[in-house]
Amino acid sequence: MRRTVFNEDHEAFRETIRAFIEAEAVPVYDEWFAAGQAPRDFYYKLGELGIFGISVPEEFGGAGMDTHKFEAVLYEETARAGVQFGGSGVHVLLALPYLRMLATDEQKKRFLPKFVSGEEMWAIAMTEPGTGSDLAGMKTTAKLSADGTHYVLNGAKTFITGGVHADKVIVCARTDAPSAEDRRHGISLFAVDTKSEGYSVGRKLDKLGLKTSDTAELAFVDVKVPVEDLLGEENKGFSYLGHNLASERWGIAFGAYAQAKAAVRFAKQYVQERTVFGKPVAHFQNTKFELAACQAEVDAAEAVADRATEALDAGELTPAEAASAKLFCTEVAHRVIDRCLQLHGGYGYMNEYPIARLYADNRVNRIYGGTSEIMKSIIAKDMGL
């Protein structure tokens, strides 16, 4: 089936990204994997290439393109090569929408040029120990000082992707107690400098997958945050978080589809080269049927992912549609990658093969950005159930 989601500009970008990955990521990816993170200077290269500024207004050093399709190409090309760009995905997919939506002109002038260049990498800190998806239950506080010049931040966050390398972190904290009518009241967002006194990075977490993505615990002890670094209005943070969840879930959905597509590519290549009982594994009927079934699922996921991309760019992707896309594409990826690993036999369990890394990387897709169970609840509510 012919895709219509990408045009010539996107395909030219694809060629550039593919060449960049082959030159800058593939040769050293094993080193990143062993180290548990991509090197900090790699992000400067992404900045030079223009990856971080695609949707940043031109006046702040970006390209000013109001589309997610270049991000979609990036998902496909990194998955195809079996690599990841460390924690930089959070920088663009999660942090940037809040800066574009909430930052004042003065804040944008301060933040965005260094964001685009990679000089300052951003992360976002929502999840806390013991709260998980229950963001309304967060305990981290930000109290306004007596003289009104700054907030005093105290608390802890966990599972913060990009948290080791981050120079700035959007921290969600309570500026007021929840009301009896609304537990979500009282949350605000702050742009916090990681060099601030009292800010500390705890353990770099040892994850099952996403090994090149630095994920950390953060702690705040009397961290002073200037009032000028409040993002948006005080106490309205929860509504801001909900507003950007659709784009976050789109990213997870599209990334999962891209992983499933890559898994079929890896498996097809392997079974054509691997010989057993005197002939290639690809010659066995079971192999053909398994890969055919996987391809059919990938085709369906591609259609869902592309439709969600078009809706997101048009500003029409609803929370329920985003949840549906995430649920479907992540479940498809889970099934397809597992079957493609099986076709590799014992070698599929070895980390030197991209299918093994993909298997581990993919598992979190059904957890972060809202678990599959949360997605089902959102869809059911939208159905009137």
Side-chain angles (χ1 to χ4, degrees), residues 206-277:
D206 184 15
K207 307 183 298 296
L208 170 67
L210 302 178
K211 290 292 189 179
T212 64
S213 174
D214 54 302
T215 302
E217 296 173 329
L218 307 179
F220 321 111
V221 179
D222 294 333
V223 176
K224 293 182 179 179
V225 183
V227 293
E228 293 82 9
D229 290 343
L230 171 69
L231 292 174
E233 295 184 44
E234 193 178 86
N235 298 327
K236 292 189 176 181
F238 198 93
S239 64
Y240 300 147
L241 296 174
H243 184 273
N244 284 326
L245 277 175
S247 62
E248 177 183 353
R249 288 167 179 164
W250 164 82
I252 297 170
F254 204 98
Y257 140 70
Q259 289 177 324
K261 182 177 182 178
V264 173
R265 176 175 178 267
F266 296 145
K268 179 182 176 182
Q269 181 179 1
Y270 178 82
V271 299
Q272 288 175 329
E273 296 173 352
R274 173 69 170 163
T275 300
V276 294
F277 303 119

Side-chain angles (χ1 to χ4, degrees), residues 133 135 184 238 241-250 252 317-327 367-385:
S133 297
L135 295 179
R184 301 172 295 182
F238 198 93
L241 296 174
H243 184 273
N244 284 326
L245 277 175
S247 62
E248 177 183 353
R249 288 167 179 164
W250 164 82
I252 297 170
L317 186 65
T318 68
E321 289 169 343
S324 178
K326 180 182 184 296
L327 177 65
I367 298 173
Y368 65 6
T371 64
S372 291
E373 291 73 24
I374 294 292
M375 298 303 100
K376 292 174 184 177
S377 295
I378 293 170
I379 297 166
K381 184 177 180 180
D382 186 66
M383 295 170 65
L385 300 175

Side-chain angles (χ1 to χ4, degrees), residues 20-21 24-26 28-30 32-33 36-39 42-43 46 74-75 77-90 161 207-215 255-256 258-259 337 354 357-365 368:
F20 174 83
I21 290 172
E24 302 291 345
V26 172
V28 292
Y29 196 71
D30 286 346
W32 298 1
F33 190 85
Q37 61 187 34
F42 177 70
Y43 298 145
L46 292 176
L74 192 59
Y75 282 127
E77 290 305 308
T78 51
R80 178 184 181 277
V83 303
Q84 292 190 345
F85 286 172
S88 65
V90 168
T161 302
K207 307 183 298 296
L208 170 67
L210 302 178
K211 290 292 189 179
T212 64
S213 174
D214 54 302
T215 302
Q259 289 177 324
I337 294 170
R357 298 178 182 183
L358 195 57
Y359 183 87
D361 291 348
N362 168 74
R363 185 58 185 88
V364 76
N365 288 334
Y368 65 6

Side-chain angles (χ1 to χ4, degrees), residues 20-250:
F20 174 83
I21 290 172
E22 289 299 322
E24 302 291 345
V26 172
V28 292
Y29 196 71
D30 286 346
E31 298 173 20
W32 298 1
F33 190 85
Q37 61 187 34
R40 181 63 177 80
D41 61 4
F42 177 70
Y43 298 145
Y44 291 111
K45 295 179 181 179
L46 292 176
E48 291 173 3
L49 192 62
I51 296 298
F52 298 147
I54 292 171
S55 60
V56 172
E58 293 182 32
E59 61 187 296
F60 303 116
M65 298 183 182
D66 191 17
T67 177
H68 290 78
K69 292 181 180 179
F70 292 98
E71 292 173 49
V73 170
L74 192 59
Y75 282 127
E76 290 186 334
E77 290 305 308
T78 51
R80 178 184 181 277
V83 303
Q84 292 190 345
F85 286 172
S88 65
V90 168
H91 184 68
V92 175
L93 180 65
L94 299 189
L96 183 56
Y98 291 100
L99 297 179
R100 292 185 60 190
M101 178 176 70
L102 302 176
T104 63
D105 288 341
E106 184 275 332
Q107 289 173 328
K108 289 177 180 177
K109 290 176 183 177
R110 279 195 290 132
F111 297 149
L112 290 181
K114 292 181 179 180
F115 179 102
V116 171
S117 68
E119 184 178 348
E120 287 186 348
M121 295 300 296
W122 287 68
I124 184 165
M126 293 185 278
T127 305
E128 296 184 359
T131 61
S133 297
D134 182 20
L135 295 179
M138 70 177 60
K139 306 295 184 183
T140 297
T141 61
K143 303 295 185 183
L144 188 63
S145 63
D147 61 6
T149 62
H150 63 272
Y151 291 86
V152 180
L153 183 67
N154 283 282
K157 300 289 182 178
T158 193
F159 304 147
I160 309 307
T161 302
V164 175
H165 281 319
D167 302 288
K168 291 281 198 300
V169 177
I170 298 174
V171 177
C172 311
R174 283 209 164 275
T175 44
D176 196 8
S179 67
E181 298 79 20
D182 187 3
R183 293 177 62 242
R184 301 172 295 182
H185 170 76
I187 295 173
S188 301
L189 307 185
F190 299 90
V192 179
D193 192 320
T194 62
K195 295 184 293 295
S196 301
E197 183 177 353
Y199 180 105
S200 62
V201 178
R203 292 185 303 147
K204 181 164 75 71
L205 301 175
D206 184 15
K207 307 183 298 296
L208 170 67
L210 302 178
K211 290 292 189 179
T212 64
S213 174
D214 54 302
T215 302
E217 296 173 329
L218 307 179
F220 321 111
V221 179
D222 294 333
V223 176
K224 293 182 179 179
V225 183
V227 293
E228 293 82 9
D229 290 343
L230 171 69
L231 292 174
E233 295 184 44
E234 193 178 86
N235 298 327
K236 292 189 176 181
F238 198 93
S239 64
Y240 300 147
L241 296 174
H243 184 273
N244 284 326
L245 277 175
S247 62
E248 177 183 353
R249 288 167 179 164
W250 164 82

Side-chain angles (χ1 to χ4, degrees), residues 267-309:
K268 179 182 176 182
Q269 181 179 1
Y270 178 82
V271 299
Q272 288 175 329
E273 296 173 352
R274 173 69 170 163
T275 300
V276 294
F277 303 119
K279 56 184 177 181
V281 176
H283 284 200
F284 292 93
Q285 186 181 63
N286 179 69
T287 303
K288 297 176 181 180
F289 281 7
E290 283 292 288
L291 282 176
C294 287
Q295 183 62 54
E297 290 218 72
V298 168
D299 287 344
E302 180 179 88
V304 170
D306 285 356
R307 185 182 69 174
T309 303

